[in-house]
mmCIF file of all heavy atoms in Angstrom:
data_model
loop_
_atom_site.group_PDB
_atom_site.id
_atom_site.type_symbol
_atom_site.label_atom_id
_atom_site.label_comp_id
_atom_site.label_asym_id
_atom_site.label_seq_id
_atom_site.Cartn_x
_atom_site.Cartn_y
_atom_site.Cartn_z
ATOM 1 N N ALA A 1 0.907 -1.154 0.118
ATOM 2 C CA ALA A 1 0.034 -0.042 0.036
ATOM 3 C C ALA A 1 0.902 1.235 -0.005
ATOM 4 O O ALA A 1 1.847 1.335 0.746
ATOM 5 C CB ALA A 1 -0.878 0.054 1.187
ATOM 6 N N LEU A 2 0.675 2.205 -0.792
ATOM 7 C CA LEU A 2 1.378 3.433 -0.973
ATOM 8 C C LEU A 2 0.519 4.596 -0.372
ATOM 9 O O LEU A 2 -0.709 4.751 -0.907
ATOM 10 C CB LEU A 2 1.742 3.719 -2.361
ATOM 11 C CG LEU A 2 2.696 5.155 -2.581
ATOM 12 C CD1 LEU A 2 3.635 4.741 -3.668
ATOM 13 C CD2 LEU A 2 1.767 6.118 -3.020
ATOM 14 N N ARG A 3 0.961 5.247 0.561
ATOM 15 C CA ARG A 3 0.182 6.393 1.142
ATOM 16 C C ARG A 3 0.929 7.674 0.794
ATOM 17 O O ARG A 3 2.188 7.827 1.198
ATOM 18 C CB ARG A 3 0.000 6.189 2.632
ATOM 19 C CG ARG A 3 -0.823 7.293 3.276
ATOM 20 C CD ARG A 3 -1.239 6.752 4.777
ATOM 21 N NE ARG A 3 -1.939 5.633 4.671
ATOM 22 C CZ ARG A 3 -2.083 4.888 5.784
ATOM 23 N NH1 ARG A 3 -1.552 5.192 6.979
ATOM 24 N NH2 ARG A 3 -2.759 3.856 5.727
ATOM 25 N N ILE A 4 0.284 8.685 0.115
ATOM 26 C CA ILE A 4 0.966 9.771 -0.315
ATOM 27 C C ILE A 4 -0.154 10.861 0.097
ATOM 28 O O ILE A 4 -1.293 10.875 -0.456
ATOM 29 C CB ILE A 4 1.314 9.914 -1.707
ATOM 30 C CG1 ILE A 4 2.029 11.159 -1.998
ATOM 31 C CG2 ILE A 4 0.167 9.566 -2.740
ATOM 32 C CD1 ILE A 4 2.666 11.281 -3.512
ATOM 33 N N GLY A 5 0.152 11.995 0.784
ATOM 34 C CA GLY A 5 -0.838 12.920 1.226
ATOM 35 C C GLY A 5 -1.871 12.150 2.077
ATOM 36 O O GLY A 5 -1.562 11.546 3.134
ATOM 37 N N THR A 6 -3.101 12.299 1.556
ATOM 38 C CA THR A 6 -4.236 11.586 2.306
ATOM 39 C C THR A 6 -4.699 10.376 1.436
ATOM 40 O O THR A 6 -5.724 9.700 1.731
ATOM 41 C CB THR A 6 -5.347 12.519 2.612
ATOM 42 O OG1 THR A 6 -5.861 13.098 1.285
ATOM 43 C CG2 THR A 6 -4.961 13.620 3.511
ATOM 44 N N LYS A 7 -4.031 10.071 0.419
ATOM 45 C CA LYS A 7 -4.453 9.077 -0.528
ATOM 46 C C LYS A 7 -3.619 7.771 -0.317
ATOM 47 O O LYS A 7 -2.445 7.711 -0.023
ATOM 48 C CB LYS A 7 -4.089 9.534 -1.941
ATOM 49 C CG LYS A 7 -4.437 8.584 -3.059
ATOM 50 C CD LYS A 7 -5.876 8.421 -3.172
ATOM 51 C CE LYS A 7 -6.307 7.567 -4.512
ATOM 52 N NZ LYS A 7 -7.755 7.376 -4.653
ATOM 53 N N THR A 8 -4.416 6.662 -0.484
ATOM 54 C CA THR A 8 -3.728 5.281 -0.244
ATOM 55 C C THR A 8 -4.089 4.601 -1.666
ATOM 56 O O THR A 8 -5.318 4.487 -2.034
ATOM 57 C CB THR A 8 -4.375 4.569 0.823
ATOM 58 O OG1 THR A 8 -3.905 5.209 2.221
ATOM 59 C CG2 THR A 8 -3.605 3.180 1.040
ATOM 60 N N ALA A 9 -3.092 3.996 -2.156
ATOM 61 C CA ALA A 9 -3.235 3.190 -3.510
ATOM 62 C C ALA A 9 -2.524 1.934 -3.383
ATOM 63 O O ALA A 9 -1.583 1.763 -2.693
ATOM 64 C CB ALA A 9 -2.813 4.064 -4.717
ATOM 65 N N ASN A 10 -2.847 0.972 -4.208
ATOM 66 C CA ASN A 10 -2.183 -0.314 -4.366
ATOM 67 C C ASN A 10 -0.872 -0.057 -5.152
ATOM 68 O O ASN A 10 -0.934 0.630 -6.294
ATOM 69 C CB ASN A 10 -2.947 -1.363 -4.820
ATOM 70 C CG ASN A 10 -4.108 -1.744 -4.124
ATOM 71 O OD1 ASN A 10 -4.032 -1.838 -2.829
ATOM 72 N ND2 ASN A 10 -5.380 -1.814 -4.719
ATOM 73 N N ALA A 11 0.234 -0.526 -4.709
ATOM 74 C CA ALA A 11 1.603 -0.283 -5.475
ATOM 75 C C ALA A 11 2.291 -1.641 -5.652
ATOM 76 O O ALA A 11 2.208 -2.442 -4.718
ATOM 77 C CB ALA A 11 2.219 0.780 -4.771
ATOM 78 N N ARG A 12 3.241 -1.559 -6.588
ATOM 79 C CA ARG A 12 4.340 -2.494 -6.810
ATOM 80 C C ARG A 12 5.565 -1.960 -7.213
ATOM 81 O O ARG A 12 5.550 -0.996 -7.999
ATOM 82 C CB ARG A 12 3.762 -3.512 -7.819
ATOM 83 C CG ARG A 12 2.678 -4.536 -7.572
ATOM 84 C CD ARG A 12 2.390 -5.331 -8.707
ATOM 85 N NE ARG A 12 1.960 -4.685 -10.051
ATOM 86 C CZ ARG A 12 2.762 -4.473 -11.011
ATOM 87 N NH1 ARG A 12 3.911 -5.074 -11.014
ATOM 88 N NH2 ARG A 12 2.269 -3.789 -12.206
ATOM 89 N N VAL A 13 6.710 -2.300 -6.694
ATOM 90 C CA VAL A 13 7.964 -1.876 -7.187
ATOM 91 C C VAL A 13 8.242 -3.003 -8.230
ATOM 92 O O VAL A 13 8.432 -4.067 -8.165
ATOM 93 C CB VAL A 13 9.053 -2.211 -6.183
ATOM 94 C CG1 VAL A 13 10.370 -1.810 -6.609
ATOM 95 C CG2 VAL A 13 8.649 -1.200 -4.810
ATOM 96 N N THR A 14 8.198 -2.278 -9.620
ATOM 97 C CA THR A 14 8.503 -3.166 -10.782
ATOM 98 C C THR A 14 9.963 -3.334 -11.036
ATOM 99 O O THR A 14 10.204 -4.453 -11.589
ATOM 100 C CB THR A 14 7.770 -2.527 -11.962
ATOM 101 O OG1 THR A 14 8.477 -1.098 -12.216
ATOM 102 C CG2 THR A 14 6.321 -2.204 -11.709
ATOM 103 N N HIS A 15 10.775 -2.547 -10.528
ATOM 104 C CA HIS A 15 12.238 -2.662 -10.862
ATOM 105 C C HIS A 15 12.939 -1.848 -9.951
ATOM 106 O O HIS A 15 12.677 -0.791 -9.620
ATOM 107 C CB HIS A 15 12.378 -2.257 -12.299
ATOM 108 C CG HIS A 15 13.814 -2.237 -12.839
ATOM 109 N ND1 HIS A 15 14.597 -3.385 -12.844
ATOM 110 C CD2 HIS A 15 14.714 -1.281 -13.170
ATOM 111 C CE1 HIS A 15 15.819 -3.150 -13.294
ATOM 112 N NE2 HIS A 15 15.901 -1.913 -13.454
ATOM 113 N N ILE A 16 14.194 -2.435 -9.537
ATOM 114 C CA ILE A 16 15.189 -1.652 -8.819
ATOM 115 C C ILE A 16 16.150 -1.325 -9.713
ATOM 116 O O ILE A 16 16.952 -2.040 -10.325
ATOM 117 C CB ILE A 16 15.696 -2.495 -7.783
ATOM 118 C CG1 ILE A 16 14.668 -3.057 -6.803
ATOM 119 C CG2 ILE A 16 16.850 -1.860 -6.943
ATOM 120 C CD1 ILE A 16 15.185 -3.940 -5.696
ATOM 121 N N LYS A 17 16.322 0.045 -9.935
ATOM 122 C CA LYS A 17 17.313 0.555 -10.833
ATOM 123 C C LYS A 17 18.699 0.478 -10.224
ATOM 124 O O LYS A 17 19.699 0.104 -10.931
ATOM 125 C CB LYS A 17 17.092 2.121 -11.107
ATOM 126 C CG LYS A 17 15.641 2.332 -11.749
ATOM 127 C CD LYS A 17 15.551 3.670 -12.293
ATOM 128 C CE LYS A 17 16.454 3.907 -13.560
ATOM 129 N NZ LYS A 17 16.137 5.279 -14.216
ATOM 130 N N TYR A 18 18.894 0.782 -8.873
ATOM 131 C CA TYR A 18 20.272 0.620 -8.400
ATOM 132 C C TYR A 18 20.034 0.873 -6.785
ATOM 133 O O TYR A 18 19.062 1.428 -6.348
ATOM 134 C CB TYR A 18 21.278 1.618 -8.848
ATOM 135 C CG TYR A 18 21.021 3.008 -8.786
ATOM 136 C CD1 TYR A 18 21.272 3.710 -7.649
ATOM 137 C CD2 TYR A 18 20.468 3.759 -9.855
ATOM 138 C CE1 TYR A 18 20.978 5.074 -7.555
ATOM 139 C CE2 TYR A 18 20.211 5.146 -9.713
ATOM 140 C CZ TYR A 18 20.366 5.788 -8.584
ATOM 141 O OH TYR A 18 20.235 7.002 -8.430
ATOM 142 N N ALA A 19 21.060 0.225 -6.069
ATOM 143 C CA ALA A 19 21.072 0.573 -4.654
ATOM 144 C C ALA A 19 22.185 1.535 -4.524
ATOM 145 O O ALA A 19 23.162 1.578 -5.260
ATOM 146 C CB ALA A 19 21.365 -0.800 -3.958
ATOM 147 N N LEU A 20 22.291 2.251 -3.246
ATOM 148 C CA LEU A 20 23.226 3.318 -3.117
ATOM 149 C C LEU A 20 24.275 2.893 -2.068
ATOM 150 O O LEU A 20 23.842 2.461 -0.943
ATOM 151 C CB LEU A 20 22.568 4.547 -2.592
ATOM 152 C CG LEU A 20 23.281 5.868 -2.594
ATOM 153 C CD1 LEU A 20 23.649 6.257 -4.024
ATOM 154 C CD2 LEU A 20 22.454 6.966 -1.969
ATOM 155 N N ASN A 21 25.565 2.975 -2.400
ATOM 156 C CA ASN A 21 26.617 2.801 -1.280
ATOM 157 C C ASN A 21 26.618 4.155 -0.547
ATOM 158 O O ASN A 21 26.973 5.170 -1.145
ATOM 159 C CB ASN A 21 27.921 2.555 -1.981
ATOM 160 C CG ASN A 21 28.997 2.355 -1.073
ATOM 161 O OD1 ASN A 21 29.060 2.954 -0.118
ATOM 162 N ND2 ASN A 21 29.919 1.392 -1.335
ATOM 163 N N VAL A 22 26.243 4.184 0.747
ATOM 164 C CA VAL A 22 26.188 5.434 1.572
ATOM 165 C C VAL A 22 27.459 6.024 1.693
ATOM 166 O O VAL A 22 27.560 7.238 2.115
ATOM 167 C CB VAL A 22 25.399 5.191 2.818
ATOM 168 C CG1 VAL A 22 23.917 4.828 2.522
ATOM 169 C CG2 VAL A 22 26.012 4.193 3.735
ATOM 170 N N GLU A 23 28.508 5.313 1.741
ATOM 171 C CA GLU A 23 29.800 5.776 1.960
ATOM 172 C C GLU A 23 30.461 6.461 0.765
ATOM 173 O O GLU A 23 31.179 7.604 0.864
ATOM 174 C CB GLU A 23 30.776 4.709 2.508
ATOM 175 C CG GLU A 23 30.383 4.208 3.867
ATOM 176 C CD GLU A 23 31.342 3.153 4.414
ATOM 177 O OE1 GLU A 23 32.670 3.423 4.124
ATOM 178 O OE2 GLU A 23 30.980 2.347 5.029
ATOM 179 N N THR A 24 30.053 6.081 -0.427
ATOM 180 C CA THR A 24 30.708 6.567 -1.651
ATOM 181 C C THR A 24 29.670 7.161 -2.643
ATOM 182 O O THR A 24 30.082 7.816 -3.598
ATOM 183 C CB THR A 24 31.545 5.522 -2.359
ATOM 184 O OG1 THR A 24 30.606 4.537 -2.887
ATOM 185 C CG2 THR A 24 32.632 4.878 -1.549
ATOM 186 N N GLN A 25 28.377 6.918 -2.377
ATOM 187 C CA GLN A 25 27.232 7.306 -3.303
ATOM 188 C C GLN A 25 27.375 6.548 -4.619
ATOM 189 O O GLN A 25 26.760 6.942 -5.553
ATOM 190 C CB GLN A 25 27.238 8.846 -3.510
ATOM 191 C CG GLN A 25 27.204 9.707 -2.205
ATOM 192 C CD GLN A 25 25.884 9.258 -1.471
ATOM 193 O OE1 GLN A 25 24.807 9.607 -1.988
ATOM 194 N NE2 GLN A 25 25.979 8.868 -0.347
ATOM 195 N N GLU A 26 28.165 5.407 -4.681
ATOM 196 C CA GLU A 26 28.211 4.680 -5.814
ATOM 197 C C GLU A 26 26.936 3.910 -6.068
ATOM 198 O O GLU A 26 26.298 3.552 -5.135
ATOM 199 C CB GLU A 26 29.422 3.693 -5.587
ATOM 200 C CG GLU A 26 29.583 2.649 -6.825
ATOM 201 C CD GLU A 26 30.615 1.587 -6.464
ATOM 202 O OE1 GLU A 26 31.184 1.660 -5.346
ATOM 203 O OE2 GLU A 26 30.997 0.712 -7.345
ATOM 204 N N HIS A 27 26.473 3.740 -7.377
ATOM 205 C CA HIS A 27 25.289 2.984 -7.688
ATOM 206 C C HIS A 27 25.716 1.562 -7.990
ATOM 207 O O HIS A 27 26.539 1.172 -8.589
ATOM 208 C CB HIS A 27 24.815 3.497 -9.123
ATOM 209 C CG HIS A 27 24.327 4.937 -9.114
ATOM 210 N ND1 HIS A 27 23.833 5.631 -9.973
ATOM 211 C CD2 HIS A 27 24.307 5.820 -7.922
ATOM 212 C CE1 HIS A 27 23.495 6.968 -9.743
ATOM 213 N NE2 HIS A 27 23.817 7.042 -8.385
ATOM 214 N N LEU A 28 24.960 0.750 -7.146
ATOM 215 C CA LEU A 28 25.338 -0.824 -7.131
ATOM 216 C C LEU A 28 23.986 -1.440 -7.728
ATOM 217 O O LEU A 28 22.905 -1.139 -7.522
ATOM 218 C CB LEU A 28 25.396 -1.201 -5.684
ATOM 219 C CG LEU A 28 26.492 -0.531 -4.826
ATOM 220 C CD1 LEU A 28 26.376 -1.058 -3.442
ATOM 221 C CD2 LEU A 28 27.866 -0.682 -5.441
ATOM 222 N N SER A 29 24.234 -2.475 -8.553
ATOM 223 C CA SER A 29 23.224 -3.331 -9.085
ATOM 224 C C SER A 29 22.513 -4.046 -7.900
ATOM 225 O O SER A 29 23.179 -4.460 -6.933
ATOM 226 C CB SER A 29 23.702 -4.297 -10.209
ATOM 227 O OG SER A 29 24.721 -5.188 -9.553
ATOM 228 N N ALA A 30 21.230 -4.207 -7.972
ATOM 229 C CA ALA A 30 20.574 -4.861 -6.761
ATOM 230 C C ALA A 30 19.276 -5.558 -7.337
ATOM 231 O O ALA A 30 18.597 -4.943 -8.305
ATOM 232 C CB ALA A 30 20.218 -3.873 -5.716
ATOM 233 N N THR A 31 18.917 -6.692 -6.786
ATOM 234 C CA THR A 31 17.643 -7.284 -7.112
ATOM 235 C C THR A 31 16.704 -7.265 -5.949
ATOM 236 O O THR A 31 15.419 -7.504 -6.118
ATOM 237 C CB THR A 31 17.881 -8.817 -7.442
ATOM 238 O OG1 THR A 31 18.534 -9.458 -6.372
ATOM 239 C CG2 THR A 31 18.730 -8.871 -8.666
ATOM 240 N N THR A 32 17.164 -6.719 -4.708
ATOM 241 C CA THR A 32 16.270 -6.598 -3.656
ATOM 242 C C THR A 32 16.921 -5.486 -2.763
ATOM 243 O O THR A 32 18.143 -5.116 -3.009
ATOM 244 C CB THR A 32 16.125 -7.838 -2.754
ATOM 245 O OG1 THR A 32 15.227 -7.654 -1.708
ATOM 246 C CG2 THR A 32 17.564 -8.229 -2.260
ATOM 247 N N LEU A 33 16.185 -4.953 -1.771
ATOM 248 C CA LEU A 33 16.716 -4.024 -0.841
ATOM 249 C C LEU A 33 16.558 -4.567 0.618
ATOM 250 O O LEU A 33 15.430 -4.702 1.009
ATOM 251 C CB LEU A 33 16.079 -2.650 -0.894
ATOM 252 C CG LEU A 33 16.054 -1.825 -2.321
ATOM 253 C CD1 LEU A 33 15.415 -0.567 -2.149
ATOM 254 C CD2 LEU A 33 17.579 -1.552 -2.627
ATOM 255 N N PRO A 34 17.687 -4.836 1.425
ATOM 256 C CA PRO A 34 17.448 -5.227 2.657
ATOM 257 C C PRO A 34 17.266 -4.107 3.627
ATOM 258 O O PRO A 34 17.310 -2.981 3.217
ATOM 259 C CB PRO A 34 18.838 -5.926 2.858
ATOM 260 C CG PRO A 34 19.823 -5.186 2.096
ATOM 261 C CD PRO A 34 19.006 -4.809 0.823
ATOM 262 N N LEU A 35 17.190 -4.475 4.902
ATOM 263 C CA LEU A 35 16.915 -3.399 5.840
ATOM 264 C C LEU A 35 18.049 -2.407 5.951
ATOM 265 O O LEU A 35 19.254 -2.679 5.771
ATOM 266 C CB LEU A 35 16.972 -4.092 7.311
ATOM 267 C CG LEU A 35 16.829 -3.134 8.557
ATOM 268 C CD1 LEU A 35 15.465 -2.501 8.647
ATOM 269 C CD2 LEU A 35 17.231 -3.888 9.782
ATOM 270 N N ASN A 36 17.512 -1.099 5.874
ATOM 271 C CA ASN A 36 18.354 0.152 5.843
ATOM 272 C C ASN A 36 19.070 0.547 4.638
ATOM 273 O O ASN A 36 19.913 1.346 4.447
ATOM 274 C CB ASN A 36 19.441 0.008 7.057
ATOM 275 C CG ASN A 36 18.816 -0.004 8.430
ATOM 276 O OD1 ASN A 36 17.677 0.540 8.601
ATOM 277 N ND2 ASN A 36 19.392 -0.500 9.412
#
């Protein structure tokens, strides 16, 4: 469920473009996003 403003809609993440290395801001390939 996606909640924006006062609206709630059904949502799907269709594709992960990249994950972020927080120390270098490097773009990393990813198929999922773990905690944090």
Side-chain angles (χ1 to χ4, degrees):
L2 180 143
R3 186 169 299 163
I4 181 168
T6 58
K7 178 72 173 179
T8 300
N10 296 316
R12 290 180 298 108
V13 174
T14 60
H15 177 64
I16 299 175
K17 299 190 70 173
Y18 60 84
L20 193 67
N21 182 323
V22 294
E23 296 187 28
T24 65
Q25 304 299 299
E26 179 186 2
H27 296 179
L28 308 173
S29 61
T31 58
T32 186
L33 296 180
L35 176 67
N36 296 330

